[in-house]
Amino acid sequence: MLDINMFREHADIIRADHDKRGLPHDQIEEVIRLDDNWKKTRYDADQLRRRRNEAARGIAEAKKAGNNDEMQRILTEVASLGEQIDALGVEANDMENARDSLRMKVPNILHESVPMGGNEDGNTLHSKHGIKKEYSFEPKTHNILVDQNNWVDLPRAAKIAGSRFYFLKGDLARMELALQQYAVDFLTGRGYTFVQPPVMMNRTAYEGVTDLGDFETVMYNVQPEGFYTIATSEHPLTAMFMDEVMEPSMLPLKMVGISPCFRREVGAHGQSDKGIWRVHQFTKIEQIIISKPEDSWNLHEELLTNCVELWDSLNLHYEVVNICTGDMGTVASKKYDLEAWLPGVGAYKEVVSCSNCTDYQANRLKMRYRTSEGNESVHTLNSTAVATSRALVAIIEQNQTEDGKVEIPKVLQPYMQNQKILESCNW
RNA sequence: GGAGGGAUGGCUGAGUGGUCGAAAGCGCACGACUCGAAAUCGUGUUAACCCUCACGGGUUACGAGGGUUCGAAUCCCUCUCCCUCCGCCA
C-alpha cells in the first residue's frame, strides 16, 4: 500500500507509474477525492468534539455550585452535539474505509530500472549462467523420468488428496531433503538467520503481505478457525514484525525461512505444467530481508547474488531476467526471475523470484523503525533460494543420463552419503 | 477442555470515575564536563490524524469491539493474546 502522502503530494508520480503499467488513473483520482472529503468531514467532527469537550468541563462546576439549571442546559447541548458527532463520525469512517480499500489495490511504484513492456515478452535478459549441455540423445522431460524411475506417484496422491498433489519417493525424496539442508547451510553461512514460521496465518496479517485477489485463487482457507495456509514463508516472515517499531540496530534483518508452501492454483494451466512443476504443495527455502529504505536496493542485488551463487554451485544452466512493467505484480517495485533451462521441454522456466517490495508491505503491516525524525516504514525484500519441486525438475532434466538416470549435483552428494546417481525406486 | 491472573509509551512499570496522554526507571536525542570516551549532571523525548506558510492549535488512542456515565486506562459485556494451576495429548 502506498503512503497516503504519496497521493496528496506526489500524485503525478503515481499517475506516471500507472502509465508505465498501462493502467487507467481512475483509482488514483478516486482515492484523492475520498481523502479530500474525509479530511473535511474529519475536521468538522473534530471541531464538534472540541465544543463538546469544552461544554462538558462546565458540568462538574455547575454541579458543585448547585446550579441545576445551568447543568441541565449543558447536558442538553452536549447531547445534541453528540448526535451530530456520531453522524459525522460514521460518514468519515465510511469514506476512510472506501479510500483505503481502494488504496490497497493501487500497485507499488516501479523502480526506474524496470524495463518497459506490456507482458512477459517485455522482460529483458539480465545475465546467463552455467553451461548449456549438449546431449548425445534426445533429453526427456522430467515427468517421463520420474515416472520411469518410480520417484513420483501422482495417481495415488490424486486418489487420497486430489490432482496436483504427489508422493515423492526414494532417492528423489532424499535429494529433496538434501537440497533443503544445502540451501539452508549456504545462507546461514552468509549471516542469514534460519527461521521456521507458522504455516497458517490469520486474515489480517495476510492482507498485509499479499495481493487481495490471492485470497480467492492462491491460499487455502482452513476452517473452522478461518486460517490461511501460507503460499510461501515470505508471508509469515515478512508479517512477523507487524504493528511494531523496530530498533534501527536490528536492521537489516536477514532471514532464511523454510516451509511447505500451499497453492490452490485455481484456473487452467498448460501442457507444460505436467509432473511436479506446478503443484499444490512444495517446500521452499526463502530469503527475507527487512531493511532501512536507503539500503534496500543494494540488498536486492545481494539477494540476487546469493541466488546466482547458490544455483551456480548446483552446476545448472539458467538465465536471470529483469521483469518488465507489464509483468510486475502489485507488491514488488522491482523483480528478477531466475529461469532454468529445461532441455526436455526445450525452454527456460521460472524457478526463482527475487523482489524488492520497498515500503509497500511495511505500510500495510505498520512495520516501522525508529529514526531521529520519527518512525519510518521499513523496506521488505524477498527471494526464493530454492523451491525444491522446481529445482528437482531442473536437476532431473539437466543432469539426466542416456540410460534415464540422474546425476546428483556434487554439492548435494555429501548430504546423500556421497551417492553420485539417483537410483530408481523399485515400487 | 476446567479454574484463576494479566494486556498501559521504544522497553520495564505505577495508576481503580474528572486537574491522567498517563509517575518512576531504562533507552534515545541534545548540551555540559573531557584531548577523546566512560561515568556524572542538565534539558528534551508516546503515537496517529486534522487545521495553520509558520508560531501554534485541535481530535483520537491505555489489547480489540460494544455498553454504562455529562465524563472511562479505571465500572460492565464479548472477543483475542499472554501467564499460573488441573486435565488431555504429539
Side-chain angles (χ1 to χ4, degrees):
Chain A
M1 182 167 70
L2 299 180
D3 194 298
I4 189 64
N5 287 317
M6 189 71 118
F7 290 89
R8 290 173 185 165
E9 290 154 31
H10 305 292
D12 47 321
I13 294 179
I14 311 177
R15 291 190 192 100
D17 192 77
H18 276 47
D19 292 342
K20 280 197 211 169
R21 291 176 183 262
L23 298 172
H25 294 181
D26 320 14
Q27 287 191 338
I28 309 171
E29 308 309 335
E30 184 64 3
V31 168
I32 293 171
R33 192 188 68 79
L34 285 164
D35 182 52
D36 243 38
N37 290 342
W38 169 75
K39 278 198 288 191
K40 289 190 186 100
T41 312
R42 172 63 194 258
Y43 181 72
D44 292 344
D46 279 359
Q47 290 308 308
L48 289 177
R49 280 203 190 87
R50 178 188 187 172
R51 279 173 56 193
R52 180 173 66 175
N53 290 343
E54 280 166 356
R57 275 182 213 121
I59 292 174
E61 283 175 41
K63 199 173 183 180
K64 241 184 267 171
N67 190 342
N68 246 326
D69 291 349
E70 174 65 2
M71 192 170 93
Q72 283 309 319
R73 189 194 63 74
I74 298 176
L75 288 181
T76 315
E77 186 187 352
V78 162
S80 133
L81 282 171
E83 281 170 33
Q84 297 175 60
I85 290 167
D86 287 347
L88 279 183
V90 168
E91 210 179 308
N93 240 324
D94 289 349
M95 282 188 241
E96 192 180 14
N97 288 338
R99 179 195 77 182
D100 286 343
S101 61
L102 207 53
R103 190 155 62 105
M104 292 274 268
K105 293 180 192 157
V106 174
N108 200 354
I109 303 292
L110 299 166
H111 191 252
E112 58 192 12
S113 64
V114 173
M116 286 292 292
N119 54 43
E120 62 180 30
D121 297 335
N123 297 342
T124 60
L125 181 66
H126 173 279
S127 51
K128 280 177 175 285
H129 301 264
I131 299 154
K132 191 170 177 177
K133 283 184 209 161
E134 296 297 330
Y135 299 87
S136 58
F137 54 93
E138 186 68 24
K140 300 187 177 92
T141 57
H142 87 277
N143 51 301
I144 304 281
L145 290 164
V146 296
D147 208 37
Q148 285 177 356
N149 289 289
N150 288 325
W151 285 328
V152 172
D153 190 339
L154 289 165
R156 292 199 176 91
K159 179 173 66 180
I160 64 144
S163 68
R164 296 196 188 285
F165 285 97
Y166 57 97
F167 287 96
L168 260 195
K169 289 159 57 194
D171 276 0
L172 191 63
R174 291 178 61 222
M175 188 165 77
E176 201 264 2
L177 192 57
L179 257 178
Q180 292 181 35
Q181 292 183 299
Y182 174 66
V184 169
D185 287 351
F186 187 94
L187 286 162
T188 53
R190 295 186 174 206
Y192 288 62
T193 306
F194 184 39
V195 182
Q196 300 194 25
V199 299
M200 295 185 212
M201 288 171 66
N202 63 47
R203 173 104 192 183
T204 309
Y206 224 134
E207 281 180 352
V209 287
T210 194
D211 187 307
L212 295 182
D214 290 353
F215 285 102
E216 272 59 61
T217 55
V218 177
M219 276 85 72
Y220 289 97
N221 186 214
V222 180
Q223 297 304 333
E225 282 82 2
F227 293 137
Y228 291 88
T229 54
I230 61 174
T232 158
S233 58
E234 169 206 335
H235 295 153
L237 293 185
T238 304
M240 193 172 177
F241 293 90
M242 178 170 83
D243 290 329
E244 292 191 38
V245 179
M246 301 178 75
E247 292 298 335
S249 58
M250 288 182 78
L251 304 176
L253 187 59
K254 301 179 181 182
M255 297 181 267
V256 47
I258 190 168
S259 79
C261 303
F262 302 97
R263 302 195 178 179
R264 291 178 64 206
E265 300 292 356
V266 168
H269 296 285
Q271 284 289 309
S272 59
D273 293 339
K274 282 179 182 166
I276 57 169
W277 181 258
R278 184 182 297 279
V279 284
H280 289 310
Q281 181 190 333
F282 58 93
T283 304
K284 185 151 63 78
I285 292 83
E286 181 87 2
Q287 313 178 68
I288 297 288
I289 297 183
I290 300 172
S291 82
K292 296 177 188 173
E294 62 265 31
D295 298 331
S296 75
W297 291 108
N298 283 337
L299 290 165
H300 187 221
E301 296 300 319
E302 174 178 315
L303 290 178
L304 180 63
T305 301
N306 290 339
C307 286
V308 163
E309 292 177 10
L310 177 64
W311 282 72
D312 281 353
S313 75
L314 291 167
N315 207 20
L316 293 168
H317 171 54
Y318 61 92
E319 295 179 347
V320 178
V321 165
N322 192 359
I323 300 298
C324 76
T325 56
D327 197 27
M328 192 81 68
T330 310
V331 178
S333 173
K334 183 176 181 181
K335 178 156 76 173
Y336 296 117
D337 277 2
L338 263 63
E339 298 187 346
W341 173 244
L342 301 184
V345 178
Y348 291 92
K349 297 193 72 178
E350 180 187 342
V351 288
V352 163
S353 194
C354 175
S355 304
N356 184 354
C357 300
T358 61
D359 60 359
Y360 195 84
Q361 292 173 318
N363 286 336
R364 283 191 187 178
L365 292 166
K366 295 198 189 70
M367 269 165 59
R368 297 155 298 166
Y369 76 108
R370 190 180 321 291
T371 77
S372 49
E373 269 100 61
N375 298 330
E376 257 189 66
S377 287
V378 295
H379 279 196
T380 60
L381 303 95
N382 64 81
S383 172
T384 318
V386 172
T388 55
S389 53
R390 291 198 171 182
L392 291 178
V393 170
I395 293 170
I396 289 167
E397 292 209 10
Q398 288 195 29
N399 288 10
Q400 62 181 292
T401 57
E402 185 155 18
D403 60 353
K405 293 291 191 295
V406 170
E407 291 170 354
I408 300 169
K410 274 214 169 54
V411 291
L412 298 184
Q413 291 172 10
Y415 294 91
M416 298 180 70
Q417 286 77 45
N418 293 314
Q419 197 173 319
K420 307 267 187 295
I421 298 276
L422 294 183
E423 300 297 341
S424 306
C425 184
N426 58 18
W427 55 274

